[in-house]
Amino acid sequence: MSQESVKEALLATIGAIKEKPEAGRAVFRSETKWISDVKCEANIRDFNTMTIDEPPELGGGNAGPNPVELLLAALGTCQEIMYAAYASVMGVELTSLKVDVKGYLDLQGLFLGWMRISPPATARFSTLLTSKARPMPRL
Amino acid sequence: MKQLIQTVESHCPVLDTLVRAIEVTGEVRVNGSKLEMVKA
């Protein structure tokens, strides 16, 4: 795949949705299952099963990323995919793209909230996107 | 480039899900029976 083939695929999909709006409605699905302690598994389509766990400080065995880290990865990669997709359609050549996502969680709220000592967990995410891009040369 | 950034920032579905409260519906079943939930 190249930016040109991404553009072709997207323009074909955009055309199909314009012709038939209901084609734009998508359902994504993930099945998850608790395994033991605080370890879980996630299955998405036919990909390899993902292990989700917590670090030892949160009672886990550190066998995989935790759910908040998955959310951070989802945000970072979604931004990268959207930049790549729109850059292709808008004629911008991307040579590098990187997103550093940090999530700040108040663990006091997470664990003590149920005892009504503090409010429920509050979270704040921040992103830093760095890229190198230039207009695509016209052929 | 500015137009690209504005377009992505306003169309990224994960970002949109995080910054805007979206409807999440759920059902809990215990031993095969639906459990009535009290909203927090």
Side-chain angles (χ1 to χ4, degrees), chain A residues 57-104:
Chain A
E57 299 80 18
L58 296 176
N62 220 20
N66 72 18
V68 174
E69 290 165 332
L70 289 181
L71 200 52
L72 297 174
L75 177 58
T77 53
C78 192
Q79 294 249 296
E80 288 163 353
I81 288 166
M82 294 298 284
Y83 270 100
Y86 277 109
S88 300
V89 173
M90 291 176 171
V92 175
E93 185 183 1
L94 284 179
T95 51
S96 78
L97 185 57
K98 186 177 178 292
V99 180
D100 183 12
V101 196
K102 286 180 184 169
Y104 302 87

Side-chain angles (χ1 to χ4, degrees), chain A residues 71 74-75 78-79 82-83 86-87 90 92 94 125 127 129 131 133, chain B residues 1 3-18:
Chain A
L71 200 52
L75 177 58
C78 192
Q79 294 249 296
M82 294 298 284
Y83 270 100
Y86 277 109
M90 291 176 171
V92 175
L94 284 179
F125 287 3
T127 62
L129 184 136
S131 70
Chain B
M1 197 63 195
Q3 191 192 353
L4 173 62
I5 294 166
Q6 283 174 342
T7 306
V8 171
E9 293 298 320
S10 58
H11 288 81
C12 174
V14 173
L15 181 63
D16 187 51
T17 303
L18 287 168

